[in-house]
Amino acid sequence: MSLLSEFMQKEQQLKQLQAEMERLQNDDRLKAELEFKDKLEALMREFNKSSADVIGLLEPQGGKSTPAKAAASSSTGRRKRKLKIYKNPKTGEVVETRGGNQKTLKAWKDEFGSDTVEGWLVRVES
């Protein structure tokens, strides 16, 4: 890439960024967030508090999970796998699985190849 074309590309990027900045500066949501931030910082200075102090007040446990959440997650020992849904475009057959050891899915991968079958992934759910 020549120096001139690089310069022109950077100039175009700068114009795009300036347009985005202009749009953001006129956004009422941003204005509200900035006003909130300014008032919060002023209040923190007034009471001589740090960000960590405020977080500690709002989340007394320091952001850790509640005991109910901790008990639920420790009972299984590991997190639940995501549900993957595959649809065979040739037959229309749908397979829902949380692991790679599903019989039909393995047969498809043996027949059509792993990369092809992964292309049949319709969606992933938690």
Side-chain angles (χ1 to χ4, degrees):
M1 177 184 292
S2 75
L3 193 56
L4 179 59
S5 62
E6 184 178 349
F7 175 80
M8 291 172 55
Q9 181 184 15
K10 297 294 182 189
E11 190 174 44
Q12 181 63 32
Q13 289 174 347
L14 179 61
K15 286 179 184 177
Q16 288 175 343
L17 285 173
Q18 287 173 333
E20 286 181 42
M21 287 290 295
E22 177 91 20
R23 183 183 52 79
L24 282 173
Q25 288 173 342
N26 294 326
D27 191 332
D28 290 336
R29 294 174 301 173
L30 176 64
K31 290 177 184 176
E33 284 187 33
L34 289 172
E35 181 182 359
F36 173 75
K37 180 180 174 269
D38 291 340
K39 288 181 179 180
L40 180 60
E41 288 173 345
L43 193 59
M44 288 167 52
R45 281 191 302 275
E46 180 182 339
F47 288 93
N48 197 26
K49 295 292 181 184
S50 68
S51 300
D53 294 333
V54 173
I55 291 171
L57 288 171
L58 297 176
E59 293 183 9
Q61 298 169 355
K64 295 179 184 170
S65 63
T66 61
K69 285 183 185 176
S73 65
S74 65
S75 64
T76 60
R78 59 190 258 197
R79 66 182 174 95
K80 195 174 182 182
R81 291 184 180 182
K82 294 181 178 173
L83 178 68
K84 291 185 175 183
I85 302 170
Y86 297 87
K87 183 175 181 181
N88 185 328
K90 298 177 188 325
T91 64
E93 186 178 3
V94 175
V95 170
E96 297 180 1
T97 181
R98 291 197 183 271
N101 209 15
Q102 206 275 347
K103 182 173 72 172
T104 306
L105 189 62
K106 283 179 76 172
W108 287 352
K109 287 183 178 182
D110 289 342
E111 184 177 348
F112 302 106
S114 183
D115 292 339
T116 303
V117 174
E118 285 302 318
W120 297 348
L121 184 65
V122 177
R123 70 177 184 270
V124 178
E125 297 177 359
S126 296

